[in-house]
Every structure is written in structure tokens, then in C-alpha cells.
Amino acid sequence: MTFVYVALAVALLVAVVVGVALVVNRRGEPKLPKPRPGVDYAPGVGDDDTTPRDTPRRLVEEAPGPDGVGTAVLDGPSVEEVDLEEIDLEEIDLEEIANLEAPEPAAGRFTRLRRRLARSQSALGRGLLSLLSRDTLDADTWDEIEETLLTADLGVSATTELMDRLRARVLAEAPSSPAEAQALLREELIALVDPTVDRTVHSTRDAEGPAVVLVVGVNGTGKTTTTGKLGRLLVAEDRTVVLGAADTFRAAAAEQLQTWGDRVGAAVVRGPEGGDPAAVAFDAVTIGAEADVDTVVIDTAGRLHTKVGLMDELGKVKRVLERRGPVDEVLLVLDATTGQNGLTQARVFSEVVDVSGIVLTKLDGTAKGGIVVAVQRELGVPVKLVGLGEGPDDLAPFDAAEFVDALLAE
């Protein structure tokens, strides 16, 4: 009888040991991002949102060598060490795919939102038209026009240029009706906003890999929301998208981005809270390259432009990404309601990460539409996208003519 008890105890002990081993082994398995239809996503380091990494990845930049070029070394496990052929991708849930949202196409978004923009900007347009339609344009009237433009955050140099051109055209053409005055003003404002610049968000995969879009800005401008909305916009244009949650300092940022991705079927690469944002960004691009997606959009943590350490960290994120390939777009998100104060922020960010385009959020919440012109002149880069509301499809490609028409709407 004693022998039987001993045998049962040994069997029970073996079962417990095997069970624990299986649980530990299961916890170590990578969690895959949810794939879009027809796209296989490889697991990356740090995209497990259930448990922190045992050994968080850390990026170390070595000093430049004789050729003047430094290197970026990732210590800890790497996605490149994973044998992709041995991984069984989780089956696609057809019911879940059927429930994915169909975002509104990019074409026509700005036109649809024009009325909303016109409501907030109408005071500027009506004020200018009222002044230009006066029977006599004396010195006092021109002073009022100048004050109206400056109040709209157009900036001194742009205001001076527009004033000179308006004076010359009014003198030469002598508009005799409000309609003629509006046509004249419309032409000059469109020329000032500059419809000739390339406002395309470069998001198409090339032979070297997916297009990489880095989203940057100060706290509170809506970077994570903008990243999610941009993902929707790209999906609406039939792009396959990976979103990188490189804002590892704000606890809700990764969850927020995951929600955006889930709604349209874009994979989201995440890391541990407080982890190295450059490592998450690197992983996102690596996964995007392995999965043959079109675009990888990287959300970064908000940072004050006056904080040197945080700005240096942002520069590091971009340098690490460039070890894999070029960063196609660096989009700076600015809150349009901050007006001229946003220009100082823009200047510093541009020096650190070479901004290629501006996203103006909350443009429908301000009557200071001149910020569009001011920021373009300050940085020498175009406004490419504008946020005109809180809805999921309220991010639109910027259109110079539509914007001016909204300014001058009755």
C-alpha cells in the first residue's frame, strides 16, 4: 500500500512539473499582430501586449568610425533571429474581417468638410471682402485690411507681400462689385497658399521596402489620433498598413492606437510600457518589411521642444530607422489654435528630424487660417493634411483652392 501512495505522489509531481513547463513555454511564444486579408505578419520583439519582455530591447548608438558613420546596435532578442517559415500564422477570422470598417476615400474629404471650415473662418473672409468692396480704399481701409491679415496669423512677411499685390491689382483693375473683389482676393490668396507645391504623403512601397512615415509633435496636439486617422486614410487608398506604437511613455497611447488599427484591419506593433521607443519603431519597420506591407506609420511620444534630452531621443529614433532605409515622411502635427506660438515648436522639430510635411489639427476650431501660410513659409515645407473635427474620417489631404474658398464662403 505504501508503494502505491509513493507512485501516486511521484506521478502527481511529474504532472505538475510538466504543466508548469508548458505554461512557461506558452508564455514565451510571440503574439502576432492581427493580419489584414491576404497579408502575413511576422511576430516582432515587443509586440506582445500581454506580458512585458524578459529582456527589453535597448538601442545603443556607437561612436562614428573612420568613415564618419556610426552604427545602431540592438541588444536583446531581434526579430531577425525568428525563423519566419516555422511560424504558423493565426487563421484569419472571416467574421471579423466582414466587420471591419470601410473608411471614406481620400478624394472629396476636404470638399465634404469645407462647410465646417467655412463656419469657423467666415469672419476672416467676410471682413476682407467687406473692406475691399468699399467705394473708396483710403489709407485707413488698407490699415484695417493689414490688421485683419495679421490677426489671422498670416505673419508679417506674408501680410506685406499680399498687401502689395492687392494694392497693385486694385489700382490696375478697379473692381466695381463685390464679386469682382472676391475673385481678385481669391486669386491672390490661392497664390499665397501656393497650389504648386507637392502635398502628397509619400506612402507607397518601393523595391527597398515599405514607405516609413514618422509622426512627431509636442504634447496635446493629437499625434496618436492623427496616426490612427492616417492609417484609416491609407487603408481607404488600398494601402496595407502597420502602425508602430513608439509612444511608450503614455500608458493609453498603445491601446488607443490598437483601437484605431482594429477598426480597419491595420496591424499594430507594440512594446513594453516605458521601453525604448527606437526599438519599437525598428521592430515595426522590420515587421512591415517582412510582411510586404505598403506603409509603416510610427507614432512617437509628445515632447516639449524646449526639452533637449527628449528632442535628442527623437533624433535617435529617426537615425535608427534610417539604418534600415530612408524615412519617407516626417509629419509634424501642429495645433492650429496655437497660432504663431506653434511656429517656434515647428522650427525646433525641423532642425532635429528634418520635417517634410505639416499636419494641422483643429483647423476648424480657429478663425486664424493664416497659420497655413505662416508655417509653410517658416519651415519651407507644405501643409499636407488637416484635421477638421473629431470624427474618424475628419483628416483630409490639404487643398489650397478649397481652403481659400472656405475662407471666402458667404
Side-chain angles (χ1 to χ4, degrees), residues 236-297:
E237 295 178 340
D238 295 325
R239 302 279 200 276
T240 50
V241 179
V242 164
L243 304 176
D247 182 353
T248 59
F249 298 103
R250 186 167 64 90
E255 292 294 338
Q256 185 180 357
L257 201 60
Q258 185 72 60
T259 299
W260 283 104
D262 289 345
R263 291 168 74 171
V264 294
V268 177
V269 177
R270 303 168 57 166
E273 184 178 341
D276 191 330
V280 177
F282 185 91
D283 285 352
V285 176
T286 300
I287 291 170
E290 295 288 353
D292 291 331
V293 301
D294 297 309
T295 316
V296 179
V297 186

Side-chain angles (χ1 to χ4, degrees), residues 52-377:
R53 294 180 285 205
D54 293 334
T55 306
R57 297 184 77 195
R58 183 169 56 89
L59 284 162
V60 182
E61 290 187 280
E62 296 182 350
D67 59 355
V69 178
T71 57
V73 180
L74 294 97
D75 66 355
S78 168
V79 290
E80 295 177 350
E81 298 170 4
V82 179
D83 187 347
L84 300 177
E85 295 182 357
E86 295 182 358
I87 297 172
D88 293 327
L89 296 173
E90 49 187 30
E91 296 181 0
I92 297 175
D93 187 337
L94 297 180
E95 182 177 347
E96 181 178 340
I97 292 172
N99 292 330
L100 292 177
E101 295 182 12
E104 181 179 346
R109 279 195 183 196
F110 200 97
T111 302
R112 176 179 64 83
L113 300 172
R114 174 178 158 184
R115 181 172 298 177
R116 181 181 302 165
L117 180 60
R119 285 199 298 267
S120 60
Q121 308 274 354
S122 59
L124 171 61
R126 282 201 303 265
L128 290 174
L129 285 175
S130 174
L131 293 169
L132 285 173
S133 300
R134 289 181 179 177
D135 294 334
T136 303
L137 294 178
D138 54 19
D140 290 339
T141 301
W142 284 112
D143 286 343
E144 289 182 56
I145 293 174
E146 182 176 28
E147 182 179 353
T148 300
L149 293 172
L150 289 172
T151 303
D153 275 333
L154 193 64
V156 175
S157 64
T159 295
T160 301
E161 178 182 329
L162 182 57
M163 289 285 292
D164 290 343
R165 287 160 57 173
L166 281 175
R167 278 194 178 101
R169 290 200 59 179
V170 167
L171 182 62
E173 302 176 27
S176 57
S177 68
E180 291 181 5
Q182 179 170 353
L184 183 154
L185 180 59
R186 180 180 185 276
E187 290 176 12
E188 292 303 327
L189 284 174
I190 290 177
L192 198 64
V193 176
D194 194 354
T196 65
V197 298
D198 180 13
R199 301 182 189 275
T200 305
V201 176
H202 301 287
S203 58
T204 304
R205 181 184 178 88
D206 59 23
E208 296 181 1
V212 178
V213 180
L214 188 64
V215 181
V216 304
V218 302
N219 304 32
T221 55
K223 288 181 310 309
T224 301
T225 298
T226 296
T227 302
K229 289 182 178 182
L230 178 56
R232 288 179 63 89
L233 188 64
L234 294 173
V235 168
E237 295 178 340
D238 295 325
R239 302 279 200 276
T240 50
V241 179
V242 164
L243 304 176
D247 182 353
T248 59
F249 298 103
R250 186 167 64 90
E255 292 294 338
Q256 185 180 357
L257 201 60
Q258 185 72 60
T259 299
W260 283 104
D262 289 345
R263 291 168 74 171
V264 294
V268 177
V269 177
R270 303 168 57 166
E273 184 178 341
D276 191 330
V280 177
F282 185 91
D283 285 352
V285 176
T286 300
I287 291 170
E290 295 288 353
D292 291 331
V293 301
D294 297 309
T295 316
V296 179
V297 186
I298 307 294
D299 178 33
T300 61
R303 61 201 73 228
L304 294 175
H305 60 289
T306 55
K307 300 295 184 180
V308 177
L310 292 177
M311 294 303 293
D312 288 344
E313 179 189 72
L314 182 61
K316 173 186 171 183
V317 171
K318 184 169 184 285
R319 290 193 300 274
V320 167
L321 289 176
E322 288 173 336
R323 301 301 176 186
R324 284 200 57 91
V327 175
D328 299 86
E329 289 278 1
V330 179
L331 297 178
L332 174 62
V333 181
L334 291 178
D335 183 339
T337 62
T338 62
Q340 293 286 321
N341 292 332
L343 298 185
T344 302
Q345 304 168 8
R347 191 182 306 115
V348 177
F349 274 92
S350 186
E351 292 170 355
V352 173
V353 288
D354 194 18
V355 173
S356 61
I358 303 296
V359 182
L360 275 179
T361 62
K362 307 176 188 176
L363 188 59
D364 58 326
T366 175
K368 299 183 176 183
I371 188 63
V372 170
V373 175
V375 73
Q376 289 185 164
R377 289 186 166 232

Side-chain angles (χ1 to χ4, degrees), residues 1-16:
M1 183 64 69
T2 301
F3 176 77
V4 173
Y5 286 142
V6 171
L8 288 174
V10 171
L12 180 60
L13 179 61
V14 170
V16 170

